[in-house]
Amino acid sequence: MKSIKTWKLLKRNSFSDGVKFAVKMKQLQFMGIMCTVMLFVVYRTTYYQYRQTEESKLTSAKLRSLPRGIVQARSDMELRPLWSTSSSRSKVSVSRNHNLLAIPVGIKLKENVDAIVQKFLPENFTVILFHYDGNVNGWRDLDWSHKAIHIAAQNQTKWWFAKRFLHPDVVANYDYIFLWDEDLGVENFDPRRYLQIVKSEGFEISQPALDPNSTDIHHKFTIRARTKKFHRRVYDFRGSVKCTNVSEGPPCTGFVEGMAPVFSRSAWYCAWHLIQNDLVHGWGMDMKLGYCAQGDRTKNVGVIDSEYVVHQGIQTLGGQPPTKKTTKTEELLKRHGPAPVDPRSEIRRQSTLELQIFKKRWNKAVEEDKAWVDPFRRNQRRKKERHQDS
């Protein structure tokens, strides 16, 4: 009897020891994982701080000949008077909403641009016009023209202008930057109400929804939802890309198009660096803007439905300049010479080419930067693991 009891006691103790050992092993595994994560975080933080320090040292070396207190790193687009008057001094103390509206414009859409600007002026927006047709004088008769900043460069795109004239340090004093096309109908848009929603929801990148009757709607995500104030994702089970509740990126969520984007100051700092100096049409960049959302793009990027616009889809950039009168000899040469070039077809071809180049550059950059970790793929893995565990 004693031997049987002893055997049972030994068996019970060995089972208990096995359970304890298994628990300790799980704890050790968990601690190992936590230590690995902590080491990775420390490495990333140290590496980032090192790069920032090196960049800061390089910048300081270039400014070493100046006394530190005289350096003004930031600027803005505000117009300054040549002399000071009592009225100009009083305006300085008035509280202003520091926001910027920048539009590429041509004289053909002057009336539509005027309607857009008239919406923004009451909210104390700074307005900058990028004249891609070079015609600045044609805008002088508008009451607000002398208050706007005019920059002219023949046949250049919105992204070309933005890369050269909207450097983050120059526009750092503006809370939000509206980088809009000129062919937007704004009858149902109010910038004050728009920004109230953007701020309350924490959108770093946003755009007004497009009226369903708009021209050139490329993605369902941008179409206005009539019953909503805003939306962060769309559901679409048709087409090659299925948008469901588990979709993590463009064009289902975390996405805006290039026609009417609105950036916070922090988001623009990132987006400006994403703009390629030579790829002026900006194709493909909209799919990557979510990386500039300062966090989770499924939360920080959205479309505002209650304040919507109509995209008219008017193609004006690249139009032929007015031709002079030709002689009979020149007419004969034209008839027997090569067929005239269609600017719009050439622009489309160039845009498509730039899209492929941008994709290759992104893939190459990801491959070469060994320290870079895609934050959204990491989130996808975490969600898959949670789903499997449940």
Side-chain angles (χ1 to χ4, degrees):
M1 290 296 291
K2 285 185 179 181
S3 60
I4 294 174
K5 288 183 179 179
T6 303
W7 169 250
K8 288 183 177 179
L9 183 61
L10 288 171
K11 190 175 181 182
R12 188 181 302 119
N13 290 339
S14 62
F15 176 76
S16 177
D17 291 341
V19 172
K20 291 179 180 178
F21 178 76
V23 171
K24 286 183 179 180
M25 286 299 296
K26 286 187 177 181
Q27 289 176 343
L28 287 172
Q29 289 176 355
F30 177 75
M31 288 178 66
I33 293 172
M34 288 300 296
C35 288
T36 304
V37 172
M38 289 299 295
L39 286 171
F40 177 75
V41 171
V42 170
Y43 165 74
R44 291 284 295 170
T45 303
T46 305
Y47 179 75
Y48 175 78
Q49 290 174 343
Y50 169 77
R51 289 185 60 177
Q52 292 293 101
T53 302
E54 291 300 309
E55 292 176 4
S56 178
K57 286 180 180 178
L58 183 61
T59 303
S60 299
K62 294 178 180 178
L63 298 174
R64 191 173 295 163
S65 60
L66 297 176
R68 185 179 301 175
I70 200 63
V71 175
Q72 293 290 311
R74 293 184 173 186
S75 183
D76 56 43
M77 304 297 289
E78 299 302 308
L79 300 175
R80 306 295 178 185
L82 293 178
W83 62 87
S84 181
T85 64
S86 59
S87 60
S88 64
R89 283 193 297 269
S90 64
K91 289 180 181 178
V92 175
S93 61
V94 176
S95 176
R96 292 173 59 86
N97 295 322
H98 294 288
N99 301 302
L100 178 68
L101 170 67
I103 315 177
V105 301
I107 198 67
K108 291 181 180 179
L109 288 183
K110 176 181 175 181
E111 185 176 343
N112 196 71
V113 173
D114 181 34
I116 295 174
V117 174
Q118 294 286 2
K119 285 276 187 173
F120 285 84
L121 283 178
E123 304 304 323
N124 293 322
F125 270 72
T126 297
V127 176
I128 177 170
L129 301 184
F130 300 132
H131 297 272
Y132 59 77
D133 61 355
N135 189 342
V136 178
N137 290 332
W139 300 76
R140 302 296 185 195
D141 60 321
L142 298 176
D143 294 339
W144 50 264
S145 180
H146 68 285
K147 301 176 184 177
I149 298 101
H150 300 265
I151 299 175
Q154 195 75 32
N155 277 336
Q156 299 305 312
T157 69
K158 173 168 70 175
W159 302 110
W160 184 93
F161 281 108
K163 187 65 173 180
R164 285 149 184 82
F165 300 103
L166 298 183
H167 188 280
D169 288 344
V170 174
V171 298
N173 288 339
Y174 303 106
D175 297 327
Y176 292 92
I177 295 154
F178 289 63
L179 190 57
W180 281 19
D181 287 352
E182 60 181 333
D183 60 342
L184 301 175
V186 293
E187 183 179 351
N188 299 293
F189 179 84
D190 183 278
R192 179 178 55 81
R193 292 197 297 264
Y194 182 93
L195 285 178
Q196 285 177 347
I197 298 172
V198 166
K199 292 175 182 177
S200 65
E201 295 301 321
F203 289 132
E204 297 286 338
I205 301 175
S206 62
Q207 75 161 82
L210 300 182
D211 187 287
N213 296 320
S214 296
T215 306
D216 284 348
I217 296 179
H218 303 290
H219 299 282
K220 186 177 178 180
F221 183 75
T222 61
I223 301 176
R224 181 193 177 212
R226 298 180 185 276
T227 59
K228 296 181 179 179
K229 185 182 290 186
F230 59 86
H231 64 267
R232 290 184 168 92
R233 63 168 57 247
V234 70
Y235 300 93
D236 189 4
F237 303 98
R238 299 169 296 176
S240 57
V241 179
K242 304 294 190 295
C243 294
T244 66
N245 60 343
V246 296
S247 299
E248 294 292 334
C252 304
T253 184
F255 169 74
V256 298
E257 283 195 88
M259 66 189 67
V262 179
F263 301 91
S264 71
R265 183 190 298 111
S266 299
W268 178 249
Y269 183 89
C270 172
W272 184 88
H273 286 84
L274 183 64
I275 301 172
Q276 305 294 289
N277 187 64
D278 56 328
L279 306 184
V280 296
H281 292 285
W283 279 27
M285 198 173 68
D286 53 356
M287 293 293 176
K288 303 301 182 184
L289 284 177
Y291 286 91
C292 292
Q294 311 303 295
D296 188 347
R297 62 183 173 184
T298 64
K299 296 178 180 178
N300 297 349
V301 180
V303 173
I304 311 304
D305 297 296
S306 59
E307 304 301 320
Y308 60 98
V309 297
V310 177
H311 185 223
Q312 300 167 5
I314 302 173
Q315 305 291 350
T316 54
L317 184 61
Q320 293 284 10
T323 57
K324 61 180 181 179
K325 291 183 179 180
T326 57
T327 63
K328 290 184 178 180
T329 305
E330 290 172 334
E331 286 291 341
L332 287 171
L333 288 172
K334 284 184 179 179
R335 290 176 188 175
H336 297 285
V341 175
D342 179 7
R344 295 309 311 174
S345 297
E346 291 301 315
I347 287 175
R348 176 71 64 170
R349 187 177 293 108
Q350 179 65 25
S351 301
T352 305
L353 174 62
E354 290 190 5
L355 171 62
Q356 300 306 318
I357 295 173
F358 180 82
K359 287 180 178 179
K360 288 180 180 178
R361 286 186 186 177
W362 178 272
N363 293 335
K364 183 181 179 183
V366 170
E367 183 181 351
E368 292 180 348
D369 191 348
K370 303 301 181 183
W372 185 75
V373 178
D374 190 328
F376 303 123
R377 290 196 175 182
R378 184 172 56 195
N379 291 340
Q380 288 175 3
R381 286 197 299 268
R382 287 176 180 172
K383 290 185 177 180
K384 285 181 180 179
E385 289 172 359
R386 290 174 189 169
H387 181 71
Q388 291 172 357
D389 292 341
S390 61

